[in-house]
Amino acid sequence: MGVADLPLLTQIKGRLTWLDERQRVIAQNVANSDTPGYVAHDLALPKDFASAMTARPVTLARTQAGHIAPPSPAARYSAVEAPDSETTLDGNSVVVEEQMLKMTESRMAYEAAIGFYQKSMSLLRMAARPPGR
């Protein structure tokens, strides 16, 4: 069992991946803030980030030995429609201020998860050191 297989680190990795994907969805919302009829999206929060990381419905296969190995598939999170508090006359439901709040919330959560990951790694390093060092 490697360090990457620890359930705690798998949960943190899943959380970081989810936050990264959420940041992409928010950026897409902001980019479409002037598109008529565009409905804002957000990611559904999974109950277990580790299980979301392992739920991979489609994978690539190497059909010949000379092919490059496919990268490990990314976690799949579902984007759902999440209209903001206002809808303009042209049907656009993106409020840039609300999207900026979501972006800031995601950034703060990302920094917290990175801090937790770094602290976990330092504890593992400390536990792996020989006594007296």
Side-chain angles (χ1 to χ4, degrees):
M1 178 179 197
V3 173
D5 298 331
L6 293 173
L8 173 66
L9 297 181
T10 305
Q11 286 283 350
I12 294 172
K13 182 179 176 185
R15 174 79 170 164
L16 290 171
T17 305
W18 181 83
L19 288 166
D20 182 50
E21 184 67 18
R22 184 175 191 219
Q23 195 79 349
R24 188 192 62 74
V25 170
I26 293 169
Q28 186 177 17
N29 288 342
V30 172
N32 287 295
S33 63
D34 291 332
T35 304
Y38 184 82
V39 179
H41 293 81
D42 203 353
L43 290 187
L45 186 67
K47 294 179 182 173
D48 181 23
F49 289 105
S51 65
M53 291 291 291
T54 58
R56 297 178 181 120
V58 178
T59 58
L60 297 176
R62 287 176 66 179
T63 56
Q64 294 183 8
H67 289 171
I68 297 173
S72 60
R76 300 187 185 258
Y77 298 107
S78 57
V80 294
E81 288 187 358
D84 288 338
S85 61
E86 301 173 7
T87 301
T88 59
L89 294 175
D90 64 0
N92 187 301
S93 71
V94 176
V95 178
V96 176
E97 291 83 5
E98 291 181 24
Q99 295 299 314
M100 292 298 114
L101 286 173
K102 288 180 183 179
M103 191 174 290
T104 302
E105 175 187 288
S106 293
R107 182 184 56 83
M108 289 171 39
Y110 195 88
E111 288 174 0
I114 288 290
F116 195 55
Y117 181 81
Q118 289 172 338
K119 183 55 99 174
S120 300
M121 291 303 292
S122 68
L123 287 172
L124 287 172
R125 278 189 219 103
M126 184 175 66
R129 275 190 296 210
R133 287 192 181 178

